[in-house]
Amino acid sequence: MTVTALLVSHDGARWLPAVLAGLTGQTLPVDRVVAVDTTSRDDSVALVRAALGEPSDRVVVDVVPGATSYPAAVRHGLGLAPAVGDDEWIWLLHDDSNPEPTALAELLAAAREHPEAAILGPKLREWPSLRRLLEVGLTISGTGHRETGLERGEYDQGQHDTVREVLAVNTAGMLVRRRVLESLGGLDEELPIFGNDIDFGWRAALAGHRTLVVPQAVVFHAEAAHRGVRRTPITGRHTHYQERRAAIFTSLANVSSRALPWQYVRLFLGSLLRVLGYLGVRSVGEALDELAAVLSVHGRPGQVRAARRERARRRDGEPADVRHLLAPAWLPYRHGLDFVTDLASAATSQAADVAERRRLARTPDAVPVQEQRRGAAEDDEEAYLTDTGLVARFFTNPVAVVLVLFGVLALVAAREAFGSITGGALSPVPAAAGDWWRLHVSSWHPLGTGTDVPAPAYVLPFAVAASALLGQTGAVVSGLMLLAVPIAAWGAWRLLKVVGHLVDPLGLPRWLVVWGALTYALVPATSGAWGEGRFGTVAVASLLPWAAHAALGFVDPDRDRRWRAAWRTAVLVALGAAFVPGFWLFALLATAVVLGGAAIISPRLLKERDSWGPPVVAVAATPVLLAPWLLPLLTTGSASGLLLEAGRLTVDQVTFGGLLTGRLNELGAPQWLGVVLGLLAFAALIPRRTRVAVAICWLVALAAALVSGVLSHVTLDLPAVTTRPSLGLFVVILQGTSIVAVVLGADAYLRRLDVHHPWWQRGLATALAVVAAAVPVGGLAWWLGTPDNAMARDAEQTVPVYMEQSSLLGAEHGVLVLDGSVDDGITYRIRRDDGTTLGEDEILTLTDEDTELTAEVKALVSAPTPRVVAALGARGIEYVVLSSPADGRVSSLLDATAGLDQASAEDRSTRAWHVDRPLDASALDGDGSWWRVLLLVVQGAAIIVALVLAAPTVRQGRRGRDE
């Protein structure tokens, strides 16, 4: 047997002294040494020459360009050392793989004992730990995962010391017959640095050659390139890209022809799922590498076909059956289960850490839970979270009972929202989720006479939610109206807990937090927004405490948490602005005020990017997240939409008194509830201990009041109507700040009673508590006992059923609906498709009036002619309906007009005519916009980035895992 050692090096000076010592110190020396260096920038070449001596027949050292791949370097090394017989073996070594002195002897002994073996490999142990196992043979799973059969961090205790057949062995220490290596074409240069070992072993197995792992031979491997310790011109910063590309290519190039189609689809879809998985754990770089890898292979199928042809050409006969050498089919699913388990464990540990920090914050002198017994020191809430016996714990915890009871009663009070709801600001929902998706992506809408006004921003989250609910569009609106109050209560609870810790290290008393959470949660109902179907205000009310809670993360001492808070706030502000655009405008104003105040109080903060950056990112990201709506809104001259809210336009009845008491209309709760809350907020300024915090709440409320006062004097001249800006947001903000002020003031007063409590103060406290409790109790009782709301009493004006069915045939089958009389004035609207549905109201409200159509309608109701009727057909209008009570003068004119045939109507007081003229199918065609597509792409990318960066970090870096 002749053995030629082939060493490839690149910037390996930190490992080469030990590696070269291991090579030259073998108990059974090699016959020749060929060293190939890929233009190292360190002393690698000098170290190799110093250790191996002068070049001779037994020693060859050469330097090749730095971009040379490992397979190419091996091929070059073989060319430097001509073959010396039929029984020559090549021993491949890396510059970071150090063989034990007996490694080669053990490999050759196994080769003599198993003469049929063509490839042998050692047991790899981690360097520098020396005891942990890395590999004892290799295989590959159906998903392309490199499988070693070892547990993570498994120590070598001789448990795998059996010589056995495997699919492949690592090239670090591989001993291979030279004739086999050359007959198979060497290592594949399509795999420049990773994966060429499995590919070569798989090709060898298909050709009928055996590969054995010899655990008695040990090589210590640093895995410098895999761990990112060393960068090469080939890997650069994208190690995962090279590894994953190699795995996909190897699998597709070697799998059987029968399994190739399934494997091709499986790897593509599996890689997309892996991308989502990496994004879910905030590994953006690995997600992009994964995506680039699968596109690199699947995007060039000719490369895979060429590789398969080359492998078939080099085989003699049919490929051998290697299924017993591949990983079991169930193994990828076990890995998936392990990943989910690890993720859940990390999230649980993180939640436990947060709970422990909060517990220590409440009791600064407390000993950590890990260092004390669990005992009676836990309060009710902590016991509820950590104890066993769920039912007993629930019924013995009054806070839990009250919260659950409130949630149930809130659902009962919102019973009108079960099923299909409409009325007030709520239009009927479309028939399918696809209608919302189409509305969102289209730049031209066949509504009225056609318009390019963008769809409202909330259409996207509604479309996503409807798709998740299997197309149930009605369930989206019902879910919003049913769950808004419980979600608002949950968000207010979380916010008040954090605010309490910022103001008082001991935190707020639980019953104060309960009162604040329940009082705020009822604001959407008591203000009248819920009863009027103003789902925009209802949605913002439920999101506001969550956004405020996220924004408090800006003051977190940890830099990473501050930036996560920025992206979390950006997502919540954008979601709120999708329903009420003024939410973002107010956030922008608040950010400017806060940063301006910081510049005056502490100019040093503005010099630190990590201090001013998060709030700026939070408000600056919102326009990007809403780009497909915001930019077209401005370019189409529809900027008035920034001051409106979601849904059908309603008459804003907010007065000064209503603003102070939190009432939007007559559908709100009795005003005395709002008066009580205002008086309590004013009284909260009395305690000195929390006066600064309460004053801040009053400043925010004052800013909201000033803005709403200015907006109340603004008139929006919309194409169809003149109205005022929506003030629902500011009512919610004023109510929310008042509640926070009351809670903080009450906390200070209760702390004072703990120290000094004369009888009259305790009596006053009891009276105030009773008065305060009347606010949420009275509000909930009013909501439960007041069935009157716009959703219950409004009914949409409909057209005959046969017209509705006809309009579904296409946009050109429109219905012109006329309302009013000659004396009072005639208004008109055009019904198309399934009528004006949720999401289309805002578009029609902001669409400019079609003056030509208005002139034609005037002529139609005053002096109709056949030319006017023909114009209606050209606009895609098939029917004309004169709503009840029909004006007899108008109907008589239309009865006598040529081209209008009388049609049946719903009742005798309604008249209808059929337009007997050709309908123009292209009447509503509009030009698409390429930049609309660009904005949609930008929005999609921005949403993914924001969600990933807002998620908590649960995945450590590669180096952190290895340490």
Side-chain angles (χ1 to χ4, degrees):
M1 290 183 177
T2 302
V3 178
T4 300
L6 203 163
L7 173 67
V8 178
S9 62
H10 180 85
D11 291 343
R14 62 186 294 186
W15 306 283
L16 274 173
V19 172
L20 293 168
L23 174 60
T24 57
Q26 291 295 302
T27 56
L28 185 61
V30 299
D31 298 292
R32 290 188 300 180
V33 178
V34 176
V36 179
D37 185 86
T38 57
T39 314
S40 295
R41 293 166 295 182
D42 56 14
D43 298 330
S44 296
V45 177
L47 290 172
V48 171
R49 286 173 174 162
L52 300 181
E54 294 297 323
S56 62
D57 293 340
R58 298 184 66 252
V59 176
V60 181
V61 179
D62 197 15
V63 178
V64 296
T68 304
S69 65
Y70 182 77
V74 170
R75 182 173 284 106
H76 180 76
L78 292 176
L80 296 176
V84 292
D86 189 56
D87 198 21
E88 182 182 3
W89 294 77
I90 302 298
W91 193 25
L92 300 177
L93 290 173
H94 300 177
D95 59 1
D96 61 346
S97 59
N98 180 18
E100 276 193 341
T102 60
L104 181 58
E106 295 288 354
L107 290 172
L108 291 175
R112 295 188 186 95
E113 187 176 349
H114 303 276
E116 76 284 1
I119 306 169
L120 301 102
K123 171 170 60 181
L124 294 186
R125 293 217 299 247
E126 190 180 46
W127 188 16
S129 77
L130 307 182
R131 295 299 303 168
R132 280 191 286 190
L133 289 169
L134 289 179
E135 294 174 7
V136 190
L138 292 169
T139 187
I140 189 171
S141 71
T143 57
H145 190 270
R146 186 183 182 94
E147 297 292 345
T148 63
L150 302 173
E151 298 295 332
R152 186 183 304 172
E154 183 176 348
Y155 280 85
D156 184 13
Q157 299 175 327
Q159 67 271 38
H160 299 288
D161 285 1
T162 302
V163 177
R164 58 189 176 87
E165 184 179 7
V166 293
L167 180 69
V169 293
N170 200 301
T171 52
M174 176 192 290
L175 185 68
V176 55
R177 294 184 186 273
R178 179 165 184 158
R179 57 180 172 80
V180 172
L181 180 62
E182 292 178 337
S183 67
L184 293 176
L187 304 179
D188 194 338
E189 294 192 30
E190 282 294 332
L191 307 171
I193 190 165
F194 298 116
N196 42 58
D197 45 10
I198 293 181
D199 173 74
F200 180 73
W202 199 344
R203 287 190 284 133
L206 290 172
H209 302 296
R210 294 191 67 197
T211 299
L212 301 180
V213 61
V214 185
Q216 291 73 25
V218 178
V219 173
F220 302 100
H221 194 195
E223 294 187 307
H226 167 71
R227 296 172 186 264
V229 177
R230 168 179 56 193
R231 292 176 183 165
T232 69
I234 297 175
T235 60
R237 297 176 180 269
H238 302 283
T239 301
H240 182 74
Y241 164 76
Q242 293 289 351
E243 290 179 335
R244 190 58 186 160
R245 181 191 176 278
I248 297 173
F249 181 85
T250 298
S251 183
L252 294 179
N254 295 286
V255 73
S256 66
S257 300
R258 184 168 53 183
L260 178 62
W262 160 242
Q263 190 70 359
Y264 194 87
V265 174
R266 179 186 187 183
L267 288 175
F268 182 77
L269 297 179
S271 294
L272 296 183
L273 288 177
R274 287 167 65 92
V275 169
L276 296 178
Y278 282 127
L279 291 176
V281 294
R282 299 185 70 234
S283 293
V284 182
E286 289 180 306
L288 295 176
D289 285 345
E290 182 80 24
L291 183 61
V294 69
L295 293 179
S296 172
V297 178
H298 283 72
R300 294 185 289 179
Q303 213 173 35
V304 175
R305 288 196 299 268
R308 294 181 64 85
R309 285 196 298 267
E310 178 64 15
R311 283 154 175 73
R313 185 182 67 82
R314 289 185 175 275
R315 281 196 304 265
D316 293 331
E318 292 297 318
D321 187 1
V322 299
R323 285 177 294 180
H324 64 290
L325 300 176
L326 298 174
W330 50 262
L331 195 58
Y333 304 102
R334 177 190 167 186
H335 288 324
L337 181 61
D338 291 342
F339 173 77
V340 173
T341 303
D342 291 344
L343 195 63
S345 176
T348 303
S349 300
Q350 187 178 49
D353 292 342
V354 171
E356 175 68 1
R357 287 199 303 271
R358 291 177 178 173
R359 192 188 69 83
L360 293 175
R362 284 198 303 273
T363 53
D365 297 331
V367 180
V369 169
Q370 294 82 355
E371 301 175 12
Q372 68 174 9
R373 296 181 181 179
R374 294 187 183 274
E378 294 177 321
D379 61 16
D380 292 342
E381 182 185 0
E382 291 297 330
Y384 181 75
L385 294 174
T386 59
D387 196 8
T388 57
L390 178 63
V391 176
R393 193 166 64 245
F394 170 75
F395 284 106
T396 56
N397 188 333
V399 172
V401 172
V402 168
L403 292 176
V404 172
L405 181 62
F406 174 81
V408 173
L409 293 177
L411 291 177
V412 173
R415 57 193 177 276
E416 190 70 36
F418 285 99
S420 178
I421 53 176
T422 185
L426 277 169
S427 292
V429 296
D435 295 324
W436 272 333
W437 283 113
R438 188 160 45 250
L439 201 63
H440 175 66
V441 301
S442 299
S443 58
W444 180 266
H445 309 290
L447 302 174
T449 56
T451 178
D452 59 353
V453 173
Y458 69 81
V459 167
L460 176 59
F462 271 15
V464 173
S467 300
L469 295 173
L470 304 179
Q472 298 297 317
T473 54
V476 176
V477 179
S478 294
L480 171 60
M481 303 300 284
L482 285 170
L483 300 178
V485 170
I487 291 174
W490 185 14
W493 171 280
R494 287 169 52 86
L495 175 64
L496 290 173
K497 295 282 284 186
V498 175
V499 170
H501 284 301
L502 292 176
V503 176
D504 187 344
L506 298 179
L508 297 172
R510 286 175 294 121
W511 285 110
L512 269 183
V513 177
V514 171
W515 178 88
L518 302 189
T519 303
Y520 176 80
L522 289 170
V523 168
T526 57
S527 66
W530 198 97
E532 200 176 6
R534 296 175 67 162
F535 65 94
T537 299
V538 171
V540 164
S542 65
L543 289 170
L544 181 60
W546 293 90
H549 178 274
L552 289 178
F554 297 158
V555 299
D556 195 293
D558 183 75
R559 174 186 176 277
D560 183 57
R561 288 197 184 100
R562 287 201 298 271
W563 284 104
R564 283 209 308 272
W567 291 105
R568 194 174 297 124
T569 306
V571 171
L572 291 170
V573 170
L575 186 57
F579 292 93
V580 180
F583 189 34
W584 171 63
L585 299 177
F586 189 79
L588 194 63
L589 175 63
T591 302
V593 171
V594 170
L595 292 181
I600 297 173
I601 299 172
S602 180
R604 179 181 58 84
L605 291 177
L606 296 185
K607 296 180 181 179
E608 300 176 3
R609 186 171 64 90
D610 292 335
S611 296
W612 60 263
V616 170
V617 166
V619 295
T622 300
V624 181
L625 293 170
L626 302 179
W629 163 77
L630 181 58
L631 292 181
L633 193 74
L634 300 177
T635 57
T636 56
S638 307
S640 299
L642 292 172
L643 300 179
L644 301 175
E645 65 175 274
R648 185 188 296 161
L649 196 63
T650 57
V651 179
D652 206 320
Q653 303 174 17
V654 181
T655 62
F656 178 75
L659 194 65
L660 294 181
T661 57
R663 302 299 176 261
L664 290 170
N665 48 50
E666 75 279 0
L667 295 175
Q671 290 198 351
W672 66 265
L673 293 173
V675 172
V676 170
L677 183 61
L679 293 176
L680 291 174
F682 183 79
L685 289 168
I686 298 175
R688 185 177 303 174
R689 189 167 177 267
T690 55
R691 187 172 296 167
V692 173
V694 173
I696 292 175
C697 295
W698 273 93
L699 289 176
V700 176
L702 181 61
L706 289 175
V707 173
S708 58
V710 172
L711 292 179
S712 65
H713 292 85
V714 174
T715 300
L716 301 178
D717 293 321
L718 303 178
V721 68
T722 299
T723 186
R724 293 192 306 174
S726 171
L727 300 180
L729 167 68
F730 300 101
V731 168
V732 172
I733 293 175
L734 287 170
Q735 292 288 288
T737 53
S738 299
I739 292 168
V740 175
V742 172
V743 169
L744 296 179
D747 174 61
Y749 194 73
L750 291 175
R751 300 297 182 195
R752 181 181 177 183
L753 289 180
D754 290 339
V755 180
H756 180 67
H757 49 274
W759 67 268
W760 66 270
Q761 289 189 358
R762 297 186 67 86
L764 178 62
T766 302
L768 290 176
V770 172
V771 171
V775 177
V777 173
L780 183 58
W782 166 84
W783 194 21
L784 284 166
T786 307
D788 187 30
N789 57 67
M791 292 181 291
R793 65 170 182 255
D794 276 10
E796 184 193 16
Q797 177 69 39
T798 59
V799 298
V801 175
Y802 71 89
M803 293 187 188
E804 293 180 355
Q805 295 175 343
S806 176
S807 63
L808 294 175
L809 298 176
E812 70 275 13
H813 295 271
V815 180
L816 176 64
V817 180
L818 304 175
D819 295 291
S821 64
V822 174
D823 296 331
D824 299 329
I826 298 289
T827 61
Y828 70 90
R829 57 188 172 90
I830 300 177
R831 186 192 193 280
R832 299 190 188 276
D833 198 42
D834 54 352
T836 302
T837 58
L838 197 66
E840 297 175 347
D841 293 292
E842 296 90 332
I843 300 176
L844 292 172
T845 299
L846 297 174
T847 299
D848 290 334
E849 179 185 5
D850 188 332
T851 54
E852 292 184 4
L853 177 60
T854 300
E856 291 168 358
V857 171
K858 287 182 178 179
L860 182 68
V861 299
S862 59
T865 63
R867 184 187 62 79
V868 173
V869 176
L872 294 180
R875 289 182 177 274
I877 296 176
E878 186 179 15
Y879 291 96
V880 177
V881 173
L882 186 59
S883 299
S884 175
D887 189 313
R889 288 166 292 181
V890 175
S891 59
S892 60
L893 287 173
L894 298 180
D895 286 337
T897 303
L900 289 180
D901 300 332
Q902 294 188 31
S904 61
E906 289 293 320
D907 53 66
R908 294 183 177 181
S909 61
T910 301
R911 297 296 307 279
W913 296 266
H914 176 257
V915 178
D916 187 19
R917 291 292 183 269
L919 303 177
D920 188 356
S922 63
L924 297 172
D925 291 345
D927 296 330
S929 175
W930 64 268
W931 64 279
R932 169 74 178 181
V933 177
L934 178 62
L935 291 177
L936 290 171
V937 173
V938 170
Q939 182 189 44
I943 290 174
I944 293 174
V945 170
L947 291 177
V948 169
L949 295 179
T953 303
V954 296
R955 180 183 176 89
Q956 296 179 343
R958 183 189 302 275
R959 295 179 65 177
R961 294 194 304 271
D962 295 332
E963 291 176 355

